[in-house]
Amino acid sequence: MDNCEDIIPEYLNFVKGVVDSEDLPLNISREMLQQNKILKVIKKNLVKKCMELFDDIAEDKENYKKFWEQFGKNLKLGIHEDSTHRKKLADFLRYHSTASPEEFTSLKDYVSRMKENQSDIYYITGESKEAVANSVFVERLQKRGFEVLYMCDPIDEYAIQQLKEYDGKKLVCVTKEGLELPEDEDEKKKAEEQKATFEALCKVMKDILDKKVEKVLVSNRLVNSPCCIVTSQFGWSANMERIMKAQALRDSSTMGYMAAKKNLEVNPDHSVIKTLKDRVEADKNDKSVKDLVMLLYETSLLASGFSLEDPQIHANRIHRMIKLGLGIDEEDDAAAEVECAADDMPPLAGEEDESSRMEEVD
């Protein structure tokens, strides 16, 4: 058969072999043969046999690493398409993680390393292993010793939408809102106090950013970064948005309602946010506050995996900050530009004629 979908699912198209069956009626047309119930039995047995073979390969770590590098995408496609064998296929998945950056780790190994108070499996999606390893979203989790899986393959975004949990543990994306880390009573109390302290700043930042973000919140996931952009629970992640924008035949209407709803989260322990809060309390209408908030928002977009709508505006803001750092006054700079423009101006037509006539007289 040229088209073998009735015998073996598409995600197992790398499997080659011969099927020997005494039950197929060969004295009828090919069309009737394709509708035969025995084909469904053959398909079921073939998938079962493949799973057994994958189990055998998985026993040898080195062999399975080679197998995974070659056919890992196919198994992830199986997670997306095959609901019957999804649970079994999940055992074959391999990822790098914060605890295992060089070697692949399975979900089973991840669960065995989970902390006592940890109830969820944490993961992050991104463009590359280096990008997700240095991401702002893993700061707090790494500091507290929680392992985060790195999902750097575009197909991971599709597979993970179907694989909601593993071994009774929910899979949680650390780039989306609603991340709840295990906390004791003191930590909960501190978080509530910080929320109240920074409420006024969050309101001012929301007013400045307006429709660019849904909400401005106090974060529980940042350590070294001043702020980050998180997406809504059920929309696209920043990585998924990047993948969809790269599609040649993308549907623009889908981009409208599925594009990530952004929330800005600020780090209450960061010196930048503390100083910004003091400045807002001193003068809410300070012109520099708007510029600083916009700059923080745009740098957070880049750090969180999004692209800028207008990079030139961001570049101009950076240039203004560079001038400020170098002590260049805006007015002096403008005067220098006018002077340069005057020097570059060509001489008047009348002046040229007069000088040439003087030369003739001489």
Side-chain angles (χ1 to χ4, degrees):
M1 285 185 191
D2 295 328
N3 185 0
C4 296
E5 280 183 23
D6 289 335
I7 286 186
I8 198 158
E10 191 182 350
Y11 70 91
L12 293 175
N13 62 6
F14 62 93
V15 178
K16 302 285 184 279
V18 176
V19 178
D20 182 20
S21 174
E22 297 175 1
D23 302 316
L24 286 173
L26 299 178
N27 58 341
I28 54 173
S29 68
R30 181 182 167 192
E31 286 75 17
M32 287 186 71
L33 177 62
Q34 285 177 327
Q35 300 301 318
N36 199 288
K37 288 180 181 177
I38 294 166
L39 284 182
K40 291 180 181 177
V41 177
I42 290 172
K43 181 178 181 177
K44 187 179 176 183
N45 288 331
L46 281 176
V47 175
K48 186 182 174 185
K49 186 68 180 172
C50 288
M51 297 299 161
E52 289 171 5
L53 287 169
F54 299 159
D55 259 331
D56 292 342
I57 298 169
E59 287 175 11
D60 186 331
K61 202 173 179 182
E62 284 304 310
N63 271 349
Y64 192 76
K65 186 182 177 184
K66 291 174 189 172
F67 171 80
W68 178 254
E69 285 169 353
Q70 289 294 317
F71 305 115
K73 285 186 175 69
N74 292 71
L75 299 187
K76 288 172 184 177
L77 181 62
I79 293 281
H80 181 65
E81 293 182 346
D82 191 349
S83 56
T84 311
H85 298 94
R86 192 170 289 148
K87 193 175 177 183
K88 182 65 182 168
L89 285 166
D91 290 329
F92 300 127
L93 295 177
R94 297 292 183 272
Y95 298 105
H96 292 290
S97 74
T98 49
S100 177
E102 301 304 323
E103 293 294 321
F104 286 112
T105 188
S106 66
L107 292 174
K108 190 177 180 181
D109 290 340
Y110 179 102
V111 171
S112 70
R113 291 194 293 264
M114 280 172 67
K115 292 192 158 213
E116 285 181 18
N117 59 346
Q118 184 182 346
S119 57
D120 300 323
I121 295 171
Y122 302 115
Y123 71 90
I124 181 170
T125 57
E127 195 169 355
S128 66
K129 191 174 80 169
E130 289 72 25
V132 293
N134 298 318
S135 172
V136 297
F137 297 106
V138 299
E139 290 177 358
R140 177 77 64 185
L141 290 131
Q142 274 190 302
K143 188 178 180 184
R144 293 187 57 180
F146 295 118
E147 188 175 355
V148 183
L149 295 171
Y150 299 155
M151 298 190 180
C152 311
D153 212 330
I155 200 169
D156 286 325
E157 286 281 2
Y158 298 93
I160 212 69
Q161 287 172 18
Q162 305 300 327
L163 189 69
K164 302 290 184 187
E165 59 175 48
Y166 177 81
D167 195 21
K169 307 285 190 294
K170 192 180 170 187
L171 273 84
V172 174
C173 181
V174 300
T175 67
K176 293 194 173 185
E177 68 175 344
L179 176 68
E180 293 180 2
L181 300 176
E183 293 178 328
D184 57 32
E185 287 303 316
D186 291 340
E187 287 171 328
K188 284 179 184 175
K189 191 179 176 184
K190 186 186 175 188
E192 287 300 321
E193 286 172 1
Q194 287 177 332
K195 191 177 177 183
T197 308
F198 286 86
E199 191 176 352
L201 175 65
C202 290
K203 190 177 183 303
V204 169
M205 290 177 82
K206 169 62 182 150
D207 292 341
I208 291 168
L209 296 171
D210 197 22
K211 292 178 182 177
K212 286 180 167 60
V213 294
E214 291 278 305
K215 292 176 275 189
V216 180
L217 308 162
V218 174
S219 181
N220 67 337
R221 70 185 89 207
L222 297 172
V223 177
N224 302 318
S225 304
C227 47
C228 66
I229 300 284
V230 300
T231 53
S232 58
Q233 193 68 44
F234 303 105
W236 286 338
S237 64
N239 189 50
M240 188 65 172
E241 192 172 302
R242 178 185 64 79
I243 292 165
M244 294 309 291
K245 280 181 178 177
Q247 300 297 317
L249 301 172
R250 73 173 183 268
D251 182 5
S252 299
S253 61
T254 312
M255 296 294 291
Y257 63 85
M258 283 303 290
K261 300 285 187 292
K262 303 176 185 71
N263 294 335
L264 180 68
E265 289 195 0
V266 298
N267 181 0
D269 299 318
H270 199 280
S271 55
V272 168
I273 300 300
K274 285 178 178 176
T275 310
L276 192 62
K277 175 179 139 325
D278 295 340
R279 187 168 286 194
V280 166
E281 285 173 355
D283 182 6
K284 198 181 284 187
N285 301 315
D286 190 338
K287 287 181 181 178
S288 65
V289 169
K290 185 180 178 182
D291 235 13
L292 290 166
V293 169
M294 290 303 292
L295 196 59
L296 278 171
Y297 167 72
E298 286 166 355
T299 49
S300 296
L301 275 179
L302 293 172
S304 303
F306 290 95
S307 55
L308 295 175
E309 287 178 18
D310 192 343
Q312 190 55 49
I313 292 174
H314 180 67
N316 291 340
R317 280 201 182 91
I318 296 292
H319 295 154
R320 277 210 300 278
M321 291 295 168
I322 292 169
K323 285 175 185 175
L324 199 65
L326 294 172
I328 299 169
D329 191 11
E330 288 281 338
E331 290 176 8
D332 292 348
D333 204 36
E337 282 176 16
V338 170
E339 201 175 303
C340 283
D343 290 344
D344 293 342
M345 279 179 69
L348 295 171
E351 288 177 1
E352 277 186 358
D353 294 344
E354 196 173 328
S355 60
S356 61
R357 260 192 252 112
M358 289 295 287
E359 284 170 10
E360 284 173 16
V361 170
D362 291 341

